[in-house]
Amino acid sequence: MTDNRDSLEAEQRLIGQQRRDPATVQERLLPWLKSQYPQASHIELPLPVPPTGGGSSDSFFITPMVHIDGGAETLPMVLRIEPCSRRIYEQRSIERQYGVMKSLHDLSAAPVPKMLALEPNKALFGEAFLVMERIAGDVPHDRYHAEGLLVDAAPAQRTAIWNNFIDAMAGLHRTDAKAFA
């Protein structure tokens, strides 16, 4: 029993550490993005930005600018990479996350981002990854109860945030569970 507890404590210490270097992610992701947009004459990828919250995967905000037929479009996205060395969930699976989130986006009233790509090939980052649209908004700090967005918000703003959260949860709960069988 001690071995399991020691292992869990070691994994929990790793959770707060930065996992992948944004410059390395940028360098490895750009050729993959080019393969996803073969019609693009050029793709620019600014340095990926890790969010302030989260920890179950290595996530980055990415904003590739895709140039097609003389025009350019900036595509706000989120890159989520399966973590290599630490686990929060006993049975992690970026593939399962992709499937559940895709179904929730397609079938529910909850504000779930559109899934854009699942890459099961581990060649780029040593683990599978997914790419999804980025929904505009703020990511609460891991210590949301003590600092950041909710603490800094005026009472009326805080009420609106919590009401939006309740609406989102209600949208999830109205989803037919049989759709996931």
Side-chain angles (χ1 to χ4, degrees):
M1 179 108 175
T2 304
D3 291 336
N4 288 341
R5 184 176 303 152
D6 291 343
S7 175
L8 178 61
E9 288 173 1
E11 287 176 3
Q12 288 173 337
R13 283 192 299 274
L14 289 171
I15 289 169
Q17 298 176 358
Q18 175 59 42
R19 287 68 112 190
R20 289 181 169 87
D21 173 56
T24 302
V25 170
Q26 178 188 40
E27 177 185 320
R28 292 180 181 175
L29 187 62
L30 186 57
W32 181 87
L33 282 169
K34 289 178 180 177
S35 75
Q36 300 300 299
Y37 295 92
Q39 71 280 24
S41 60
H42 179 67
I43 297 178
E44 299 169 45
L45 181 62
L47 194 66
V49 177
T52 57
S56 63
S57 62
D58 290 347
S59 296
F60 294 91
F61 297 138
I62 58 174
T63 53
M65 181 176 285
V66 179
H67 297 263
I68 300 173
D69 296 331
E73 184 177 4
T74 299
L75 306 172
M77 301 174 180
V78 176
L79 167 67
R80 183 177 286 173
I81 309 168
E82 187 84 68
C84 294
S85 60
R86 76 217 176 287
R87 276 192 341 218
I88 292 178
Y89 303 110
E90 185 125 351
Q91 295 181 345
R92 61 190 182 161
S93 172
I94 206 86
E95 292 90 350
R96 184 173 46 242
Q97 287 180 36
Y98 178 90
V100 168
M101 291 177 71
K102 181 175 183 346
S103 294
L104 286 172
H105 175 270
D106 294 346
L107 303 172
S108 79
V112 177
K114 180 179 180 183
M115 298 291 103
L116 300 173
L118 172 65
E119 181 57 69
N121 187 333
K122 298 179 179 183
L124 285 178
F125 300 114
E127 293 292 340
F129 65 92
L130 65 82
V131 177
M132 63 183 136
E133 285 184 341
R134 181 173 177 193
I135 295 178
D138 295 314
V139 177
H141 190 278
D142 285 342
R143 295 178 26 88
Y144 67 89
H145 60 284
E147 59 185 275
L149 174 69
L150 290 173
V151 172
D152 297 338
Q157 291 172 307
R158 199 172 307 122
T159 298
I161 291 168
W162 283 115
N163 285 339
N164 286 337
F165 169 76
I166 291 166
D167 290 344
M169 289 299 292
L172 289 173
H173 287 273
R174 283 191 299 268
T175 305
D176 184 3
K178 293 176 188 162
F180 296 92

